[in-house]
Amino acid sequence: MKAIVYERPYAYRYTDLPDPEPGPDEVRLRVRSAGVCGTDAHLHRGEFSPRYPLTPGHEVVGEVESLGEEVTTLAVGQRVALNNRVSCGSCANCRRARPAFCTRLRDHGVTRPGGFAEMIVVPASHCHPADDIPLDVVAFAEPVACAVHGMDILAPQPGSDVLLFGAGTTGLLLAQLLAGSGAGRVTVAAPTEAKLRLAREFGADETVVMDRDDSSASLGALRALAPDGFDTVVDATGALTVIERCLPLTRDGGTVFLYGMAGERERVELSPYEIFSRELTIRGSFTQAFSFDRALRVLRTGRVRTDGMITHRFGLDSYGAALDAVRNDRGCIKAVIHP
């Protein structure tokens, strides 16, 4: 089969690998869609703890091609969405219901072979049947699962006033979940009008264009919307300049929610006294846990919409172009690879 393989940071090749064979409790999937996201850009640089040699790709939809001898819950030809994170279930973190921090985690696309390949072998237990969901919709299963887990962590109060920075894939998904979870007002701020137009279509109450070169006018517009600050300010960008704006726009006693992925070695300056004296809460959300079934449910019902979000498509041999689109193309919302 053809696959993308990294031997070290920045160094990948499009190459031939032996077709993988499933173990007794595994299945082999023929990959039909694999999303490219910001995490893949970090993995390209050697961040996020990759294990080499690595085939990345953690947002996987596949068709069951062959079954291990003990698998009875799936059928050949069935389309499934993959929950790529396989925890052990018995370490201290798993026993605390924190499987994302499993000390023996197997993470397809990060520490185990992922979906930027023609085929992938995975545990049958982590395959979620999805024949009834269009391919372009179920392609969002993993990022929606992450967003649902983010909502679990944030636990927004009904009627709260929320500011969300970012209108990429995660921003648009979070905006919909926030609106559907009872937020009193959802304001989305981002630099691209086309993405903000989608945010409005998906239920955002207010949108503000953020000028990348001169943010003073847009910050003034945000302060005018919430003179005392927003109850919750969400960063879905991972950009340090955006994160630094979050505290000043948060009301006393409010919450700053860091959802976007910044670089591992990047740092911002925060005032401990401001956090202390204003009783601010800072929360983070990392990947997904116990949320995959719910993600598929909101995709099935249309509570979370994805129409118009796939803007770029590539073959496996154009992986480099896909990575460039995610990193550099402001018009890119979601890029997918169809091996």
Side-chain angles (χ1 to χ4, degrees):
M1 68 171 185
K2 294 291 187 181
I4 300 298
V5 178
Y6 280 82
E7 299 294 343
R8 61 185 184 279
Y10 300 101
Y12 67 86
R13 53 197 170 93
Y14 172 62
T15 189
D16 290 298
L17 292 179
D19 293 354
E21 295 297 330
D25 60 350
E26 297 177 323
V27 297
R28 183 171 70 198
L29 304 179
R30 183 160 291 276
V31 178
R32 295 306 184 195
S33 178
V36 188
C37 81
T39 298
D40 297 304
H42 285 279
L43 287 167
H44 176 74
R45 300 196 296 266
E47 300 175 340
F48 209 59
S49 303
R51 189 174 300 164
Y52 302 105
L54 172 66
T55 293
H58 58 280
E59 301 178 4
V60 180
V61 182
E63 182 180 298
V64 177
E65 189 171 83
S66 62
L67 305 171
E69 59 188 25
E70 296 178 4
V71 178
T72 60
T73 56
L74 297 170
V76 171
Q78 193 169 19
R79 185 163 67 213
V80 299
L82 172 67
N83 177 351
N84 66 300
R85 300 181 69 83
V86 185
S87 54
C88 73
S90 59
C91 72
N93 284 332
C94 284
R95 293 198 305 271
R96 296 187 183 104
R98 296 287 186 178
F101 309 111
C102 172
T103 58
R104 293 187 288 274
L105 184 70
R106 292 176 291 156
D107 198 352
H108 287 279
V110 180
T111 64
R112 301 276 290 179
F116 294 154
E118 292 179 320
M119 289 178 281
I120 181 175
V121 164
V122 296
S125 60
H126 279 57
C127 293
H128 296 254
D131 282 315
D132 58 321
I133 307 176
L135 180 61
D136 280 356
V137 176
V138 74
F140 289 87
E142 196 274 346
V144 172
C146 291
V148 169
H149 176 65
M151 297 297 293
D152 290 341
I153 298 296
L154 180 59
Q157 291 186 337
S160 55
D161 195 8
V162 182
L163 168 60
L164 170 66
F165 282 111
T169 297
T170 55
L172 292 171
L173 297 177
L174 281 171
Q176 294 180 73
L177 290 170
L178 285 162
S181 297
R185 181 175 63 172
V186 176
T187 299
V188 179
T192 308
E193 176 55 42
K195 295 179 181 180
L196 291 176
R197 186 162 52 250
L198 263 184
R200 290 192 293 271
E201 292 177 11
F202 290 163
D205 301 288
E206 302 280 353
T207 58
V208 174
V209 178
M210 296 292 296
D211 189 322
R212 293 176 185 270
D213 300 318
D214 181 10
S215 62
S216 57
S218 48
L219 290 175
L222 292 173
R223 291 191 179 97
L225 283 171
D228 295 326
F230 293 87
D231 297 317
T232 300
V233 178
V234 180
D235 170 64
T237 71
L240 302 191
T241 55
V242 175
I243 294 170
E244 289 171 345
R245 296 174 181 143
C246 290
L247 262 67
L249 290 166
T250 306
R251 69 162 174 82
D252 295 342
T255 297
V256 173
F257 187 51
L258 301 182
Y259 187 88
M261 186 177 176
E264 289 183 21
R265 289 172 290 278
E266 293 181 321
R267 300 289 185 270
V268 295
E269 288 190 11
L270 299 176
S271 165
Y273 180 78
E274 181 178 7
I275 297 168
F276 155 77
S277 63
R278 296 179 58 209
E279 295 190 354
L280 299 176
T281 298
I282 299 177
R283 309 208 70 169
S285 178
F286 175 67
T287 190
Q288 48 89 10
F290 307 120
S291 53
F292 224 91
D293 289 327
R294 288 178 288 157
L296 290 173
R297 186 176 300 127
V298 296
L299 288 171
R300 281 190 172 97
T301 61
R303 292 289 190 274
V304 169
R305 293 169 51 194
T306 62
D307 41 303
M309 288 178 62
I310 295 180
T311 54
H312 293 63
R313 300 176 189 272
F314 300 90
L316 188 59
D317 57 349
S318 298
Y319 167 73
L323 202 60
D324 286 341
V326 169
R327 292 182 299 179
N328 303 317
D329 189 339
R330 294 184 184 181
C332 180
I333 299 176
K334 188 64 184 174
V336 295
I337 288 175
H338 297 295

